[in-house]
Amino acid sequence: MFTYITESIDELKNNVTLPPKAESTNLMVIVAVFSIIFALATWGVDSLFSELILLYFNSIIN
């Protein structure tokens, strides 16, 4: 286990390179936009299903 951890740290220090700041910023903006779009789509579907369930149970009760 200790060998695995030391080799992982060594690999991170020597073999992993971070992308440039501009590329990281662009990717962050893309992720944020898609996250907002997905959240809005989920909210919309949830609202639609809530209304459909409400209409269904109101039709059963009345």
Side-chain angles (χ1 to χ4, degrees), residues 4-40:
Y4 173 76
I5 293 172
T6 55
E7 287 177 355
S8 296
I9 291 171
D10 184 51
E11 184 173 347
L12 284 172
K13 286 181 181 178
N14 299 322
N15 298 334
V16 175
T17 58
L18 295 175
K21 187 174 182 178
E23 184 179 352
S24 296
T25 304
N26 289 339
L27 292 174
M28 183 192 69
V29 169
I30 291 170
V31 168
V33 167
F34 277 104
S35 295
I36 291 169
I37 290 171
F38 186 72
L40 290 172

